[in-house]
Amino acid sequence: MAKVYGRIAAVLAAVMLTASVSAGCAEKEEAGKEVQPAGTATPAPTPYIEIWRDITNSTIPLEKDGPYSKMIQKDTGIGIYMPVVPWDGGNTYVQRLNTRIAAGDLPDLFLPWKGNETALMKQGALADLTDLLPKYAPSVWSRIPKEMWDIVRSADISGKGRIYYIPQVQTYTYYGAYIRKDWLDRVGMKMPATKDEYVEVLKAFRDKDANGNGDPNDEIPLIGREQGRWMDHIFGMFGVAMWEGYPMWDLYDGKLTYSAVTPNMKAALEFARMLYAEKLLDPNTLLNKSEEWTSKIYNDKVGNYFHINYGQAGRVENIAKVNKDVNLVALPLPKVEGYNGFITKTQLNKPQWVIANKNEQTTINALKLLEWAADPKNADKALLGVEGMHYEVKDGKTVILPPDPAKQEARPLTSFITDLDQVKKEMALEVSSANPTKLPAYQQREKLLLEMQPFGKTIAGDGMPASIFEGFSDLKNHTMYQEYMANIILGVMPISKFEEFVDKWNKNGGAEVTERARAWYDSMNKK
């Protein structure tokens, strides 16, 4: 036993000797260094969050050390960066995003698209925000109504009511139809109030020199986009719930139903078919990509179109470069006998943000960024962007600079919780800061938005989770509807094929999806 203790003592002595030598060397090494003042520490490196979302107003990436990131860092201590991801109506964006998903390399904070948040939840790829939200994003938590959070919780495929996404909440009518009042005046027509009057106006646009450029053959009375998108008003006239060209769910005969399989849709398709045959609807409507659609509007070729209310100032401004007399106004939804028309309104517009499930600190940092965007005290900063890049101050007055996608960075952290009062305040800020050349466009935009409000109706399927389509991705993506819709409008299929579509849709999962949708609706509306 004495030998054992002797060996232990020898080892301890050796360890102590080594520690003593190491300490001495360290003292000599430190002596050659500048001594740090007491109480100071090396600053922690700035954390950065990679963001992806729908951007159409910039063609340059957001750099970590760029002006916009530095502005955010100053307030939050967190930097951001974002590559250039073409939007293209969401098509190119979702392709690029799916490539990152497949590689297991998700952006930190991003906009999900076409319901892919459901698959990501199932894979455990999204952060559970339930417990962290109130602490790190209190403005987000408090400003979104409880009933909206209840809808978000219903999307949890585990059934536990957890929160996996931040919604875009809009309590005003976000979309609308627009018509060129200067065209109406030029062809001697009044604002149409009924379907028949609307058709007569479109015929006048087709046959006369409505844009006043001397060529009576270059006008497009009505325009839409590929996949039958962005002409929602000609469906809404017949009471079809439609969101950006995608059929939605609403109450028909008192039951929650996919609007694409209703008699209302059949009537709307028959109307669209007639418009196409009469060359009142752009013959390239089902081929128009976002850029082509935009170009035709900007080049003073289009008399009537459908889009987002808030974004029309830029459209007026661009059309004015070709036709200084542009007067864009709201088109009241033409009445159709036997139908209650409306513009689809969704207060829970869509999942706006999800956070990749990487680690708790990444989740916290991302939530802090969303808090910055949602906090009312940052409203002006979020709207205006970077001084010198997006706006400037002249003689004490804020002036928004003209759009320059090649030089101006995108502003991804804008408010995602908006009501009409807030939108009015934002518009007032833009009007007060606008230079004289931009002022008419802003004034027209404000008039458009206010005139469109009476036509919005919140649909019964507002906020319904994409998980109801689990196992039926073709139905979720509206593939079958788009096939029949296109062929019926083009005249390739007779309108009688609509019944075949309804039958096929139900037999290929539609009946099961409808059962799930109605169960969800009942659960959300329990007394």
Side-chain angles (χ1 to χ4, degrees), residues 45 47 50 69 92 95-96 137 155 183 199 217 219 254 286 288 290 292 333-334 348 390 394 402 414 439 454 489 515:
E50 182 184 8
S69 179
T92 301
Q95 290 170 7
R96 300 276 182 90
W183 283 28
V199 171
N217 300 308
E219 285 83 1
L286 298 175
N288 286 328
S290 177
E292 295 162 325
L333 204 61
L348 199 157
H390 302 110
K394 288 185 176 180
T414 53
L439 191 57
I489 290 177
E515 187 177 336

Side-chain angles (χ1 to χ4, degrees), residues 175-432:
Y175 301 97
Y178 319 101
I179 192 165
R180 292 287 297 275
K181 179 64 167 58
D182 53 314
W183 283 28
L184 284 172
D185 294 342
R186 201 168 282 117
V187 300
M189 302 289 284
K190 65 178 183 179
M191 184 69 71
T194 67
K195 175 175 72 70
D196 292 342
E197 290 178 359
Y198 175 60
V199 171
E200 290 306 307
V201 163
L202 295 181
K203 286 180 178 179
F205 287 174
R206 178 195 64 191
D207 299 335
K208 300 181 181 182
D209 184 20
N211 61 13
N213 68 351
D215 183 356
N217 300 308
D218 68 345
E219 285 83 1
I220 299 170
L222 168 66
I223 195 171
R225 271 170 35 187
E226 58 182 344
Q227 299 174 328
R229 299 188 62 200
W230 296 111
M231 50 185 185
D232 296 17
H233 60 299
I234 66 171
F235 294 90
M237 289 161 58
F238 294 86
V240 175
M242 188 74 84
W243 184 85
E244 297 187 6
Y246 299 124
M248 302 298 282
W249 294 72
D250 199 17
L251 297 179
Y252 295 91
D253 294 328
K255 296 181 179 180
L256 191 71
T257 304
Y258 180 53
S259 67
V261 299
T262 62
N264 305 61
M265 176 61 83
K266 182 179 180 181
L269 288 176
E270 195 164 13
F271 181 58
R273 177 190 180 94
M274 181 276 291
L275 295 176
Y276 181 84
E278 291 291 326
K279 295 182 171 55
L280 303 176
L281 177 62
D282 180 16
N284 291 315
T285 280
L286 298 175
L287 300 173
N288 286 328
K289 292 186 179 298
S290 177
E291 295 82 1
E292 295 162 325
W293 176 87
T294 301
S295 176
K296 291 175 181 180
I297 293 171
Y298 285 179
N299 282 293
D300 195 30
K301 303 299 184 187
V302 178
N304 176 220
Y305 65 95
F306 181 94
H307 209 242
I308 298 167
N309 286 321
Y310 195 81
Q312 297 318 303
R315 304 231 183 276
V316 171
E317 217 179 343
N318 279 282
I319 298 170
K321 295 175 183 177
V322 179
N323 187 338
K324 63 181 178 56
D325 296 324
V326 57
N327 185 7
L328 191 68
V329 299
L331 171 67
L333 204 61
K335 295 179 181 177
V336 183
E337 188 175 352
Y339 296 91
N340 295 316
F342 61 88
I343 297 297
T344 293
K345 179 179 175 181
T346 52
Q347 294 189 72
L348 199 157
N349 191 284
K350 62 179 180 285
Q352 178 71 4
W353 293 109
V354 292
I355 301 173
N357 187 20
K358 296 184 176 180
N359 55 67
E360 185 175 79
Q361 192 57 54
T362 295
T363 302
I364 290 171
N365 289 341
L367 286 173
K368 287 180 178 179
L369 293 175
L370 297 183
E371 171 64 15
W372 182 88
D375 190 335
K377 75 172 185 287
N378 297 321
D380 289 359
K381 284 185 182 180
L383 174 65
L384 291 172
V386 179
E387 184 175 356
M389 175 180 281
H390 302 110
Y391 75 97
E392 60 186 8
V393 179
K394 288 185 176 180
D395 300 323
K397 182 182 178 181
T398 301
V399 178
I400 297 175
L401 295 173
D404 190 344
K407 294 182 179 179
Q408 292 173 337
E409 293 180 335
R411 291 167 289 166
L413 293 177
T414 53
S415 176
F416 45 90
I417 308 167
T418 49
D419 57 22
L420 189 58
D421 285 342
Q422 181 178 334
V423 172
K424 287 179 180 178
K425 290 177 183 177
E426 291 179 358
M427 289 193 299
L429 177 62
E430 289 180 333
V431 167
S432 67

Side-chain angles (χ1 to χ4, degrees), residues 493-509:
M493 288 181 178
I495 192 66
S496 59
K497 280 284 187 178
F498 182 78
E499 279 72 24
E500 177 183 285
F501 157 66
V502 174
D503 183 63
K504 186 176 177 181
W505 188 86
N506 279 302
K507 288 179 178 177
N508 284 271

Side-chain angles (χ1 to χ4, degrees), residues 11-25:
V11 170
L12 289 173
V15 169
M16 292 173 68
L17 178 62
T18 302
S20 175
V21 172
S22 298
C25 291

Side-chain angles (χ1 to χ4, degrees), residues 80-92:
I80 65 172
Y81 64 101
M82 182 175 67
V84 175
V85 184
W87 180 242
D88 185 28
N91 297 321
T92 301

